[in-house]
Amino acid sequence: MAPRAQPSEEGEASASLRRIESTDSFIAPMPDGPVKDYRDYRVRKSSLIATVNWSHVIGTYLPTLFLIGIGVLLAQIVHQVITELSAQVEDANPGEHDFSLEKITAVLLGVSEIFRSITVSYVVEPLRSGEGGILSPHVKVTALILVVIGWIVGNNNPTYLLAFSTFKAPESWKVSHKEIIQMMKNQGCFNEDSIKFMERLLERSGTGQSTAWPPGIVQCLHDKPTDRSISASRKEAETVIFDIVESALKKAKLHPKEVDVLVINCSLFSPTPSLCAMVISKFGMRQDIQSFNL
């Protein structure tokens, strides 16, 4: 078999990979200095709309749409009965509109008759046993099981977001890409290849020129040794978590003892005692609270 022609390095690279500059991101930092505010990021609305989970949105509002549909159905039935009775009155007495108690009673009786007819046609007749029944016993059992399953699924208690809060880092924690690279160089544990790799990652990371870093590492920019101790990490966690919890409780107008479940997720720092224990002790939450430190 004849050997295949070897493509040139440039042609192969352009065919398999396409270089994406950091400016191609839908979140790009402003070119004139560090980002100081969220308005300094330019975000296309089409990119934001693409992040919406529309199936979840439709499922959330589906019960409301169902109730609205029931209301429209009732209004149509009442309108139909009133129209038919008005036509009868018009035929008997032209030009006369009767809104007496008898007519109102007749409208109510007409509506109830329509609902009785619907119930008999679509509920009683299909479920009737014997020769007059429309559905077989197997179909009835399957339908009953589906109704029970639907009832159980529909009884799930929904979870509502009462309030949320985010931590706004102080200005002393914020650094630019250039300062991040300088911090890595000050660690004294990365070679030149690692530094260049970090620079390429930062260009494509989507982070801005005002990204918050732990104060124990940022301080190495000011001729201080890097502090990666447990006490410094715990102090950082207290600064962030306490501010968030206090703000969220205030927005939701909740007392700490009213909280039943506490979940804290931190992928980099998992001390003992846990972060949950730290929050419970700080805010005086109940002793029987369910806490999950992930």
Side-chain angles (χ1 to χ4, degrees):
M1 183 175 62
R4 292 181 298 178
Q6 298 294 331
S8 63
E9 294 183 359
E10 295 182 357
E12 183 180 0
S14 60
S16 58
L17 298 176
R18 182 175 67 88
R19 180 178 177 85
I20 300 177
E21 302 294 342
S22 60
T23 54
D24 292 339
S25 173
F26 69 92
I27 299 181
M30 296 293 289
D32 51 350
V35 175
K36 298 299 183 183
D37 195 88
Y38 70 94
R39 299 181 184 86
D40 292 336
Y41 288 98
R42 299 185 297 272
V43 183
R44 294 194 299 267
K45 291 184 179 180
S46 59
S47 300
L48 295 178
I49 294 176
T51 63
V52 177
N53 187 353
W54 291 107
S55 60
H56 174 73
V57 174
I58 295 174
T60 301
Y61 291 99
L62 193 60
T64 303
L65 295 176
F66 178 76
L67 294 178
I68 294 175
I70 294 295
V72 172
L73 177 63
L74 293 176
Q76 289 176 337
I77 292 175
V78 172
H79 180 267
Q80 176 183 339
V81 173
I82 293 177
T83 302
E84 293 177 353
L85 292 177
S86 298
Q88 295 176 5
V89 172
E90 185 70 20
D91 293 339
N93 301 300
E96 180 179 348
H97 297 281
D98 184 13
F99 295 98
S100 61
L101 180 61
E102 290 79 6
K103 184 175 181 179
I104 296 176
T105 304
V107 169
L108 296 177
L109 291 176
V111 172
S112 63
E113 180 64 24
I114 290 178
F115 278 107
R116 189 192 68 81
S117 176
I118 293 175
T119 303
V120 171
S121 300
Y122 295 98
V123 179
V124 177
E125 291 295 337
L127 297 179
R128 178 179 295 176
S129 304
E131 297 181 355
I134 300 176
L135 303 178
S136 65
H138 302 86
V139 176
K140 295 177 183 178
V141 172
T142 303
L144 179 61
I145 293 174
L146 292 176
V147 169
V148 172
I149 293 175
W151 178 78
I152 294 175
V153 172
N155 276 345
N156 289 337
N157 293 327
T159 302
Y160 298 99
L161 177 64
L162 297 180
F164 74 95
S165 181
T166 57
F167 176 73
K168 185 177 181 180
E171 293 296 326
S172 60
W173 291 21
K174 298 178 182 180
V175 291
S176 62
H177 288 180
K178 184 178 180 180
E179 291 173 327
I180 292 175
I181 296 300
Q182 186 59 46
M183 287 192 302
M184 297 302 103
K185 291 180 179 179
N186 292 348
Q187 305 302 309
C189 56
F190 299 108
N191 56 28
E192 191 63 27
D193 292 337
S194 299
I195 296 297
K196 290 181 179 179
F197 177 70
M198 294 179 192
E199 290 177 347
R200 293 196 299 269
L201 286 181
L202 282 175
E203 291 176 359
R204 298 161 175 80
S205 63
T207 58
Q209 299 295 332
S210 189
T211 302
W213 273 66
I217 300 179
V218 175
Q219 68 183 16
C220 72
L221 293 174
H222 309 288
D223 299 329
K224 296 181 180 179
T226 301
D227 189 357
R228 292 189 291 265
S229 63
I230 295 295
S231 59
S233 301
R234 181 177 287 276
K235 184 177 180 181
E236 177 192 351
E238 291 176 351
T239 303
V240 175
I241 297 176
F242 288 172
D243 179 80
I244 292 174
V245 174
E246 182 178 0
S247 176
L249 290 175
K250 184 177 180 180
K251 290 181 179 179
K253 299 180 180 180
L254 287 176
H255 191 274
K257 292 189 179 296
E258 296 178 321
V259 178
D260 299 321
V261 181
L262 175 64
V263 181
I264 296 181
N265 179 26
C266 182
S267 58
L268 297 179
F269 183 55
S270 182
T272 302
S274 66
L275 298 177
C276 284
M278 180 180 71
V279 172
I280 293 172
S281 175
K282 170 66 176 179
F283 293 93
M285 296 181 176
R286 300 198 315 265
Q287 294 183 354
D288 61 344
I289 187 175
Q290 301 184 45
S291 60
F292 301 90
N293 199 86
L294 307 181

